[in-house]
Short mmCIF file of all heavy atoms in Angstrom, two decimals:
data_model
loop_
_atom_site.label_atom_id
_atom_site.label_comp_id
_atom_site.label_asym_id
_atom_site.label_seq_id
_atom_site.Cartn_x
_atom_site.Cartn_y
_atom_site.Cartn_z
N GLN Y 104 -1.77 2.60 35.24
CA GLN Y 104 -1.02 3.64 34.54
C GLN Y 104 -1.92 4.33 33.52
O GLN Y 104 -2.56 3.67 32.71
CB GLN Y 104 0.20 3.05 33.83
CG GLN Y 104 1.23 2.47 34.79
CD GLN Y 104 1.83 3.54 35.68
OE1 GLN Y 104 2.26 4.58 35.21
NE2 GLN Y 104 1.84 3.28 36.98
N ALA Y 105 -1.95 5.65 33.60
CA ALA Y 105 -2.76 6.42 32.64
C ALA Y 105 -2.11 6.42 31.27
O ALA Y 105 -0.88 6.36 31.15
CB ALA Y 105 -2.93 7.85 33.14
N ASP Y 106 -2.93 6.47 30.25
CA ASP Y 106 -2.42 6.57 28.88
C ASP Y 106 -1.86 7.98 28.69
O ASP Y 106 -2.59 8.97 28.77
CB ASP Y 106 -3.57 6.32 27.89
CG ASP Y 106 -3.08 6.27 26.45
OD1 ASP Y 106 -1.89 6.54 26.21
OD2 ASP Y 106 -3.91 5.97 25.57
N THR Y 107 -0.56 8.06 28.47
CA THR Y 107 0.08 9.37 28.33
C THR Y 107 -0.17 9.99 26.97
O THR Y 107 0.12 11.15 26.75
CB THR Y 107 1.60 9.26 28.55
OG1 THR Y 107 2.14 8.30 27.64
CG2 THR Y 107 1.90 8.83 29.98
N HIS Y 108 -0.68 9.19 26.02
CA HIS Y 108 -0.97 9.71 24.68
C HIS Y 108 -2.38 9.30 24.26
O HIS Y 108 -2.56 8.54 23.33
CB HIS Y 108 0.05 9.18 23.66
CG HIS Y 108 1.45 9.58 23.98
ND1 HIS Y 108 1.93 10.84 23.76
CD2 HIS Y 108 2.47 8.87 24.54
CE1 HIS Y 108 3.20 10.91 24.15
NE2 HIS Y 108 3.53 9.74 24.62
N PRO Y 109 -3.39 9.78 24.99
CA PRO Y 109 -4.77 9.37 24.64
C PRO Y 109 -5.13 9.83 23.23
O PRO Y 109 -4.83 10.94 22.82
CB PRO Y 109 -5.61 10.12 25.69
CG PRO Y 109 -4.77 11.27 26.13
CD PRO Y 109 -3.34 10.78 26.04
N GLY Y 110 -5.78 8.92 22.53
CA GLY Y 110 -6.24 9.27 21.19
C GLY Y 110 -5.18 9.17 20.12
O GLY Y 110 -5.48 9.34 18.95
N GLU Y 111 -3.93 8.91 20.50
CA GLU Y 111 -2.88 8.81 19.49
C GLU Y 111 -3.00 7.48 18.76
O GLU Y 111 -3.04 6.43 19.39
CB GLU Y 111 -1.51 8.93 20.15
CG GLU Y 111 -0.36 8.89 19.18
CD GLU Y 111 0.98 9.09 19.89
OE1 GLU Y 111 1.17 10.12 20.52
OE2 GLU Y 111 1.82 8.17 19.80
N PRO Y 112 -3.09 7.47 17.44
CA PRO Y 112 -3.26 6.21 16.71
C PRO Y 112 -2.05 5.30 16.87
O PRO Y 112 -0.91 5.77 16.89
CB PRO Y 112 -3.41 6.66 15.26
CG PRO Y 112 -2.78 8.01 15.20
CD PRO Y 112 -3.02 8.63 16.54
N VAL Y 113 -2.33 4.02 17.02
CA VAL Y 113 -1.25 3.05 17.20
C VAL Y 113 -0.64 2.70 15.85
O VAL Y 113 0.58 2.64 15.69
CB VAL Y 113 -1.77 1.78 17.90
CG1 VAL Y 113 -0.65 0.75 18.01
CG2 VAL Y 113 -2.32 2.13 19.28
#
Side-chain angles (χ1 to χ4, degrees):
Q104 295 296 311
D106 186 354
T107 56
H108 300 284
E111 182 177 301
V113 177

